[in-house]
């Protein structure tokens, strides 16, 4: 769904707002909503090359990884640790199986693969600031929520015909309330789906 398609849900509250400005605020609201709720999730393919301890994380164009949830390699769950823990394990030359990412761009995997390996990464995504659209399923599920966030920020712009601080406070409160509700729902789903991971030693 293109950002401009949010227009009917935003523009009636900000009459006279230029469309490019509306699009930018819808995009920013979507980024915030996806980041704070974890509602945008995807499974990414992972390819590990023989002798390489790192693999690029490559979400679809227009998206970025906000958080890695789980990693699977060669058909089994691979223990995921924090960047701090991962660096410490690397320095200690640990024999454990583990993986981590420090920047959500590159995944570090230990031990170093002795053959080409394939796997998958479950991740929380957000749109990028230069994206042109939002995934249809996410957009349709949260269209009005994201529109409220865009309206709230637009109405706070000073000196415009559509400036309305009183309405902005209401819209922002509703936006935050929906974020809390959706985030709680997503958290319950993640807990329910969480599988135990086991550390193996070589």
């Amino acid at each position: 769904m293109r950002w401009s398609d949010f227009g009917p849900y935003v523009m009636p509250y900000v009459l006279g707002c230029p469309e490019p400005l509306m699009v930018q605020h819808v995009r920013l609201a979507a980024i915030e909503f996806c980041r704070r709720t974890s509602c945008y999730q995807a499974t990414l393919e992972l390819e590990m090359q023989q002798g390489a301890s790192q693999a690029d994380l490559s979400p679809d164009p227009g998206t970025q990884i906000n958080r890695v949830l789980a990693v699977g390699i060669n058909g089994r769950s691979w223990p995921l640790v924090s960047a701090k823990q991962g660096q410490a394990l690397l320095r200690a030359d640990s024999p454990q199986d583990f993986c981590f990412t420090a920047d959500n761009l590159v995944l570090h995997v230990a031990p170093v693969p002795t053959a080409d390996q394939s796997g998958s990464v479950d991740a929380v995504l957000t749109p990028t600031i230069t994206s042109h659209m939002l995934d249809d399923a996410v957009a349709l599920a949260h269209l009005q929520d994201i529109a409220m966030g865009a309206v709230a920020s637009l109405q706070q712009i000073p000196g415009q015909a559509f400036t309305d601080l009183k309405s902005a406070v209401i819209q922002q409160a509703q936006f935050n309330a929906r974020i809390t509700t959706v985030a709680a729902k997503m958290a319950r789903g993640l807990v329910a789906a969480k599988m135990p991971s086991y550390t193996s030693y070589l």
Side-chain angles (χ1 to χ4, degrees), residues 82-124:
S82 69
K84 184 177 181 180
Q85 290 173 312
Q87 295 289 359
L89 289 170
L90 286 178
R91 288 193 296 269
D93 197 22
S94 171
Q96 299 180 48
D97 293 347
F98 64 94
C99 61
F100 69 94
T101 178
D103 55 10
N104 291 327
L105 298 173
V106 175
L107 184 73
H108 300 259
V109 175
V112 176
T114 57
D116 291 352
Q117 298 178 332
S118 61
S120 61
V121 174
D122 295 335
V124 174

Side-chain angles (χ1 to χ4, degrees), residues 130-190:
T130 57
S131 58
H132 300 292
M133 61 183 63
L134 180 62
D135 175 80
D136 284 348
V138 177
L140 292 175
H142 304 292
L143 193 156
Q144 291 184 317
D145 302 330
I146 292 168
M148 283 190 294
V151 170
S153 61
L154 284 165
Q155 289 181 335
Q156 294 179 63
I157 300 175
Q160 305 298 314
F162 49 83
T163 301
D164 189 339
L165 298 182
K166 185 176 295 185
S167 175
V169 170
I170 297 172
Q171 295 284 345
Q172 187 66 50
Q174 293 175 332
F175 181 59
N176 288 334
R178 284 297 298 159
I179 285 175
T180 299
T181 298
V182 175
K185 179 180 178 181
M186 296 303 301
R188 288 194 297 270
L190 290 175

Side-chain angles (χ1 to χ4, degrees), residues 56-81:
D56 292 334
L57 297 173
S58 303
D60 289 340
T63 68
Q64 57 192 356
I65 295 175
N66 182 61
R67 182 159 56 101
V68 173
L69 300 173
V71 177
I73 299 176
N74 285 350
R76 72 177 181 87
S77 179
W78 210 261
L80 177 66
V81 301

